[in-house]
Amino acid sequence: MTRETRQITGAQSLVHSLEAVGADVVFGIPGGAILPAYDPLFDSTRVRHVLVRHEQGAGHAAEGYAQATGRVGVCMATSGPGATNLVTPIADAYMDSVPIVAITGQVPSAAIGTDAFQEADICGITLPITKHNFLVQSADDIPRTIAEAFHIASTGRPGPVLVDLPKDILQGVTSVLPHEVWPPTLDLPGYRPVTRPHAKQVREAAKMISAARRPVLYVGGGVLKARAAAELRVLAELTGIPVVTTLMARGAFPDSHPQHLGMPGMHGSVAAVTAMQKADLLITLGARFDDRVTGKLSSFAPGAAVIHADIDPAEIGKNRIADVPIVGDCREVIADLTAALRTEERPDLEGWWRSLDRWRKTYPLGYDQPADGSLAPQQVIERIGRIAGPETVFAAGVGQHQMWAAQFISYEHPYTWLNSGGAGTMGYAVPAAMGAKVGRPEATVWAIDGDGCFQMTNQELATCALEGIPIKVAVINNGSLGMVRQWQTLFYDKRYSNTDLGTHPVSARTGVTRVPDFVRLAEALGCVGLRCESPADVDATIEKAMSIDDAPVVVDFVVHPDAMVWPMVAAGSSNDEIRVARDIAPDFDYSGDAEVNL
């Protein structure tokens, strides 16, 4: 006896498919072309829809959800400007290898290419910034396409996938796919990510590690994507090798661990930057030799051999030639490397650690309190980290506050630090924090934002207020586009062209007081608004924010306008030119390091 086939619309098939792949939340905004999908979504009991206020917010929320949970984030928008508003978060997800699926409506199939109302070739636009994208041409293809999109987004090197659905396809009739035949057969010829490393390459890497005298474990975001933090710790403790974690890898290795040297790169710790420069071996795990880490590439780690493990073969050798390339999933690579090293002699690192400990002790991260008694932004962020605790999830915008949050909050656990590393997208923090809170409702989630970034996407606080998403936002208000102002101070003779935002009590440029007033703005958006302007009030203000669990909280921390991020390697400079403060370079006594042949 054959079962009668039930007919449904393409829109219903889309919702059924999302339910079948395990999507539990969609961040989006309805519009004409995508509207057919919203009707059956209204009836779904398994997929929650969060109505955002801007499509960019939907995309960043999907990113925050994905980064905090490890699951695929989903955002949805209509055709034309709705779809193009997703371009920035899609590009951001592509740069940072974040698994999201963006679903867009499209004009009816017959109208494609006619410059119809709200038509945009979103597949063409996003081709360079997606792992793959689909223009669905039959309602019958929707289940397979959604299954393929989620598979592509979440496997291999994760990343964004776009599914474009013409309106007539959503309105067309198709057959419901029974759950017992889900998932449909995937048709992805040529897509076979390599996850298992080659044993010969692993053995060669183990021999190099055993023979090294100044090795460094250079850990990138790929370790987090591979869910390999536990394996990394085993490898590090087995070998005794120092660890540096990039901006995208904060939390992959505990900051409190004695082998952790901190973050490398433009605003990394002196110990981390110098260790890489003086290393004789870089064991590179899920990192890509980004310019913000290497500085002037030709002078980066000049004496180091390189072991480079990455799931994406395109990254290996792209910026720095690898002596031992290993293609594979970092979790598999680290596990196999650890097993191979158990049969090798442990490297002798006694002299290396003497040098590292001296650099770490001589040049710790620090900051000065402003002489006028105003707030130091570093103090604010440090105290938020201490009071909120290591289980808290932090999302940062882009700029000075991002670097201070990376430096002065201690990350003890993976997936507690979310930021826009590759694209450097201002406006990321608030919607990403919103997405993280939806994905992990039990966690405390703080957005550490700047007064410039905050003004780009703060409308999503209305979403948080109405949807019951009680995030906490610290606005580090220095009255300007802080990182741009820092560069103007250092490299443009203090010519502050168009960086004064007018958000301080009195703007030096306009004389205007607090535009906008962040406390009143927070209240207008349905949040609790607080302000702190004195160092003596920092802890009490943070504790008050922490005590509020039934509404979003925004704290306007009015900080000194001239605080800078140090250490710093100027863009395009060698990492050897690191400065711990303006015009102050570390003074290394190399004679004391003779035993490690620096």
Side-chain angles (χ1 to χ4, degrees):
M1 180 178 177
T2 60
R3 185 189 337 197
E4 182 180 348
T5 302
R6 185 161 64 92
Q7 299 294 296
I8 59 173
T9 66
Q12 289 173 310
S13 179
L14 171 64
V15 174
H16 289 170
S17 299
L18 289 172
E19 292 175 343
V21 294
D24 59 1
V25 63
V26 172
F27 302 92
I29 303 179
I34 196 66
L35 199 55
Y38 272 81
D39 188 64
L41 187 59
F42 189 63
D43 297 324
S44 177
T45 59
R46 295 166 61 186
V47 179
R48 175 187 181 185
H49 183 271
V50 175
L51 178 60
V52 298
R53 295 305 181 266
H54 191 287
E55 291 89 354
Q56 183 181 353
H60 291 318
E63 285 189 279
Y65 173 95
Q67 288 183 292
T69 66
R71 302 191 294 271
V72 176
V74 186
C75 53
M76 187 180 290
T78 196
S79 64
T84 59
N85 280 341
L86 287 175
V87 168
T88 294
I90 289 172
D92 191 272
Y94 187 73
M95 288 287 281
D96 287 346
S97 304
V98 180
I100 67 170
V101 169
I103 298 170
T104 53
Q106 184 55 276
V107 299
S109 301
I112 292 176
T114 68
D115 293 332
F117 176 68
Q118 291 196 332
E119 180 187 0
D121 178 11
I122 195 62
C123 285
I125 290 168
T126 60
L127 187 64
I129 54 169
T130 51
K131 279 190 75 175
H132 194 62
N133 59 35
F134 300 85
L135 175 61
V136 181
Q137 300 184 54
S138 169
D140 294 338
D141 293 339
I142 289 175
R144 176 178 55 80
T145 302
I146 293 299
E148 289 175 354
F150 273 70
H151 176 71
I152 294 169
S154 60
T155 55
R157 180 178 182 172
V161 177
L162 181 133
V163 179
D164 199 27
L165 290 156
K167 190 170 185 178
D168 60 305
I169 302 301
L170 290 171
Q171 293 173 323
V173 175
T174 184
S175 300
V176 66
L177 191 66
H179 285 293
E180 58 265 29
V181 298
W182 187 275
T185 301
L186 305 185
D187 182 20
L188 297 170
Y191 182 71
R192 297 181 183 88
V194 174
T195 57
R196 291 288 300 148
H198 195 289
K200 180 177 180 293
Q201 298 299 92
V202 172
R203 289 195 299 271
E204 184 65 27
K207 288 183 172 62
M208 289 184 71
I209 291 170
S210 179
R213 291 299 174 263
R214 302 189 308 279
V216 173
L217 281 162
Y218 166 25
V219 176
V223 169
L224 290 176
K225 299 297 187 296
R227 323 300 284 183
E231 288 78 6
L232 171 65
R233 184 164 184 165
V234 171
L235 173 63
E237 292 179 346
L238 173 69
T239 59
I241 296 173
V243 179
V244 301
T245 52
T246 68
L247 183 66
M248 293 306 300
R250 304 291 287 115
F253 194 75
D255 278 356
S256 61
H257 196 287
Q259 286 174 239
H260 192 233
L261 300 181
M263 182 176 71
M266 176 177 278
H267 294 294
S269 71
V270 170
V273 172
T274 307
M276 296 181 81
Q277 286 299 96
K278 306 303 178 185
D280 65 359
L281 178 64
L282 295 179
I283 305 111
T284 308
L285 303 171
R288 55 188 181 87
F289 293 91
D290 173 74
D291 62 289
R292 284 301 194 254
V293 168
T294 66
K296 185 179 180 182
L297 187 59
S298 62
S299 67
F300 175 68
V306 172
I307 298 166
H308 192 175
D310 202 289
I311 198 164
D312 183 357
E315 288 295 346
I316 297 177
K318 184 177 80 174
N319 292 328
R320 174 73 176 253
I321 298 298
D323 297 278
V324 179
I326 305 175
V327 178
D329 178 85
C330 271
R331 189 172 184 179
E332 303 273 7
V333 171
I334 295 170
D336 286 5
L337 190 56
T338 300
L341 282 164
R342 293 189 191 280
T343 65
E344 297 286 343
E345 185 176 344
R346 180 176 167 130
D348 177 9
L349 306 181
E350 184 179 351
W352 183 223
W353 271 110
R354 279 198 294 270
S355 298
L356 296 171
D357 285 338
R358 182 162 59 253
W359 300 335
R360 187 158 54 178
K361 180 179 179 181
T362 306
Y363 300 105
L365 289 173
Y367 58 90
D368 294 325
Q369 293 289 350
D372 63 1
S374 59
L375 273 179
Q378 302 96 322
Q379 177 193 1
V380 170
I381 292 169
E382 186 175 50
R383 294 306 299 159
I384 291 173
R386 291 279 180 84
I387 293 170
E391 306 295 331
T392 300
V393 176
F394 295 94
V398 169
Q400 289 180 315
H401 63 279
Q402 175 192 25
M403 294 298 102
W404 288 322
Q407 292 175 332
F408 291 103
I409 293 174
S410 181
Y411 298 98
E412 300 299 314
H413 306 292
Y415 319 111
T416 54
W417 165 246
L418 318 177
N419 83 128
S420 171
T425 304
M426 293 178 68
Y428 170 90
V430 169
M434 176 174 71
K437 184 66 175 177
V438 170
R440 293 175 58 183
E442 79 291 346
T444 299
V445 179
W446 273 91
I448 309 293
D449 221 353
D451 45 340
C453 289
F454 182 66
Q455 292 186 75
M456 294 191 173
T457 51
N458 62 45
Q459 67 270 19
E460 299 309 333
L461 288 171
T463 307
C464 291
L466 293 171
E467 294 276 350
I469 307 170
I471 66 169
K472 305 179 194 304
V473 182
V475 180
I476 308 301
N477 180 2
N478 60 8
S480 67
L481 297 170
M483 187 62 84
V484 182
R485 190 177 192 273
Q486 175 167 334
W487 283 43
Q488 288 173 332
T489 301
L490 297 175
F491 311 122
Y492 293 89
D493 197 27
K494 299 185 179 180
R495 289 168 54 82
Y496 300 122
S497 173
N498 292 285
T499 44
D500 187 336
L501 292 173
T503 53
H504 247 213
V506 178
S507 167
R509 179 171 61 86
T510 65
V512 173
T513 301
R514 304 191 203 275
V515 177
D517 183 319
F518 290 132
V519 172
R520 292 165 65 188
L521 177 62
E523 293 169 349
L525 290 169
C527 306
V528 176
L530 305 173
R531 176 172 289 122
C532 180
E533 299 184 83
S534 167
D537 297 330
V538 168
D539 283 15
T541 305
I542 296 168
E543 287 163 358
K544 183 173 182 180
M546 290 290 294
S547 71
I548 299 169
D549 293 324
D550 58 354
V553 182
V554 176
V555 186
D556 179 15
F557 288 101
V558 181
V559 301
H560 195 280
D562 294 327
M564 293 194 192
V565 182
W566 299 104
M568 181 175 180
V569 178
S573 299
S574 168
N575 282 355
D576 289 328
E577 299 174 36
I578 188 171
R579 298 292 182 264
V580 293
R582 190 172 186 180
D583 300 325
I584 301 176
D587 180 16
F588 298 111
D589 177 12
Y590 292 136
S591 62
D593 301 318
E595 68 271 24
V596 294
N597 298 316
L598 291 174

